[in-house]
Amino acid sequence: MIIVIGASSFIGVHTVQELLKQNCKVLVTGRNDKFKEHYDSLGCEYVNLDLTNKDSFKKLPTEGVEGVILLGGLLPANAPVNLDETENAADYFAINTIGTINVLEYCRLNGINRVISTASYADVYNSWNKDRPLTEDEPRGYKYMGDHAVYVMSKNAATDVMEYYNQQHGMSNAVFRLPPVYGVGPHGSIYINGTYIKSGLQIFMDKAIAGEDIIIYGDKDLSRDVVYVKDVAHAFYLAMRSDKTSGLYNMTSGKAVTLQNQVEVISKIFATSANRMSKIKYKPEVKNNTPSYIFSMEKAKRDFGFSPQYSDFKVMMTDYKNDLDKNLFKDLFKY
């Protein structure tokens, strides 16, 4: 049995679907019963779990667990907190760091050898560039301001504790370092520094559907290494089954896509007709808010045979559009 903690998350729903496709027995948890009916219909036992409460883990099985995929946590995109008015640093550490320790202790006490969790690609923000793929050995360096700062710290601390349990208690824990993850889910709008706004990807798609002009701000050749949720879900399965899995892994497509290419692909795939294709316009004087970045995927390939199937952005967005047309998970996410 594999336990997925945080199965009510975007990545969690897709990961459970992949695990079931691979004929795994899955137990899932969430913070409330919102997704219970969905998982009941799939034959997955559903447990309401509070990551911050050690007693809550008494609800979980003590035998027959192969490993745990930990996707529950607090993300800035889900936090309506304006840092100029209030401070939620303690919440990040309580949920993301202490919550991880609670999961690790549950596993240690019950002879479960592996937890696979996630970390932020912004932990190496100071090294981002377009020419050199960053490996897992890149030293940390990140911004100490903004809504991602304490989030990154809390996930770094959790990553370090995972490695502590590897070395101190002989576990084989792993952490996936994730960039923006694309795919059908509830992220059309997100919180940025407490303000709820439409995501850049959603703006591109909405403009393409309406046949309206799409504006590229700043450097049209700025490139980003994004990843598709189905690749991430499959990577969890592969990593869980490999004896070599341990430590930090980049979990991206390993292939950067420019803003220009993103807009060109989206404008074609999401156009409602050939006569209503969006025109691309440029405002280079308005600076982009992030540098270019690309990550190496060699370690994941070496340790558990992972090779992204959706690294080509056109393939990724074509599948994304097909899932939207099928209303995949629309009853869960209300996108």
Side-chain angles (χ1 to χ4, degrees):
M1 173 192 293
I2 297 173
I3 296 177
V4 179
I5 294 177
S8 55
S9 67
F10 155 56
I11 297 176
V13 168
H14 286 271
T15 297
V16 173
Q17 179 172 268
E18 172 65 16
L19 294 176
L20 294 176
K21 176 182 172 183
Q22 300 292 342
N23 297 313
C24 300
K25 183 178 180 182
V26 184
L27 182 149
V28 301
T29 82
R31 288 174 294 176
N32 50 54
D33 289 337
K34 180 180 176 182
F35 285 35
K36 185 177 186 305
E37 184 177 343
H38 168 72
Y39 285 118
D40 285 345
S41 70
L42 297 177
C44 297
E45 182 180 354
Y46 187 93
V47 174
N48 193 316
L49 183 77
D50 180 358
L51 273 175
T52 65
N53 183 352
K54 287 191 290 186
D55 290 337
S56 189
F57 286 82
K58 295 176 181 178
K59 303 175 186 178
L60 299 181
T62 58
E63 297 180 346
V65 179
E66 177 183 350
V68 174
I69 297 173
L70 173 56
L71 297 170
L74 177 62
L75 284 77
N78 300 329
V81 176
N82 184 327
L83 295 178
D84 292 330
E85 299 172 1
T86 187
E87 180 55 71
N88 64 339
D91 295 334
Y92 283 110
F93 280 93
I95 298 170
N96 297 340
T97 309
I98 302 303
T100 296
I101 294 172
N102 289 339
V103 173
L104 290 165
E105 273 298 279
Y106 157 71
C107 290
R108 182 184 70 84
L109 293 172
N110 292 289
I112 303 165
N113 196 47
R114 173 166 291 159
V115 178
I116 306 178
S117 187
T118 63
S120 171
Y121 72 134
D123 67 333
V124 289
Y125 177 90
N126 293 346
S127 298
W128 287 1
N129 69 94
K130 66 160 78 172
D131 301 316
R132 180 173 64 90
L134 303 180
T135 71
E136 290 80 0
D137 295 325
E138 190 71 27
R140 287 174 180 161
Y142 50 90
K143 296 194 296 185
Y144 284 83
M145 292 183 66
D147 63 350
H148 270 68
V150 177
Y151 168 69
V152 170
M153 295 175 204
S154 71
K155 296 299 283 187
N156 284 350
T159 296
D160 291 344
V161 173
M162 297 269 281
E163 184 59 28
Y164 164 77
Y165 272 74
N166 284 350
Q167 298 192 29
Q168 180 67 29
H169 299 296
M171 295 181 71
S172 297
N173 302 312
V175 177
F176 286 0
R177 176 194 274 150
L178 295 173
V181 181
Y182 288 3
V184 168
H187 40 254
S189 293
I190 58 176
Y191 286 101
I192 296 182
N193 291 314
T195 301
Y196 197 57
I197 65 172
K198 190 177 291 188
S199 70
L201 178 66
Q202 191 65 49
I203 291 172
F204 287 167
M205 293 190 296
D206 288 348
K207 294 286 187 182
I209 291 170
E212 298 175 356
D213 294 346
I214 300 177
I215 300 173
I216 296 179
Y217 294 97
D219 180 9
K220 64 181 177 59
D221 295 319
L222 183 148
S223 56
R224 294 167 177 167
D225 184 357
V226 298
V227 68
Y228 196 48
V229 67
K230 292 181 183 180
D231 276 334
V232 175
H234 188 58
F236 278 122
Y237 167 73
L238 293 175
M240 189 61 73
R241 289 292 160 88
S242 173
D243 293 336
K244 297 180 180 179
T245 301
S246 183
L248 177 66
Y249 292 91
N250 294 330
M251 190 46 57
T252 71
S253 69
K255 184 177 179 181
V257 57
T258 65
L259 285 177
Q260 178 75 27
N261 187 230
Q262 284 193 53
V263 173
E264 288 174 347
V265 168
I266 290 170
S267 64
K268 292 177 182 178
I269 291 175
F270 286 84
T272 54
S273 72
N275 296 328
R276 297 191 63 187
M277 286 277 294
S278 296
K279 294 180 180 179
I280 304 175
K281 296 189 174 181
Y282 305 89
K283 288 193 175 182
E285 69 276 9
V286 181
K287 300 297 183 183
N288 302 121
N289 58 3
T290 61
S292 297
Y293 56 85
I294 185 169
F295 289 86
S296 167
M297 290 301 299
E298 290 304 310
K299 185 182 178 185
K301 182 177 181 180
R302 182 191 71 217
D303 285 5
F304 49 88
F306 175 69
S307 180
Q309 299 302 299
Y310 298 90
S311 59
D312 183 279
F313 192 70
K314 183 177 180 181
V315 173
M316 182 191 299
M317 295 310 297
T318 298
D319 193 78
Y320 192 147
K321 175 66 161 52
N322 289 340
D323 282 349
L324 286 172
D325 290 344
K326 291 186 292 188
N327 292 320
L328 183 69
F329 302 139
K330 191 161 190 176
D331 58 328
L332 299 177
F333 293 134
K334 312 299 181 187
Y335 57 80

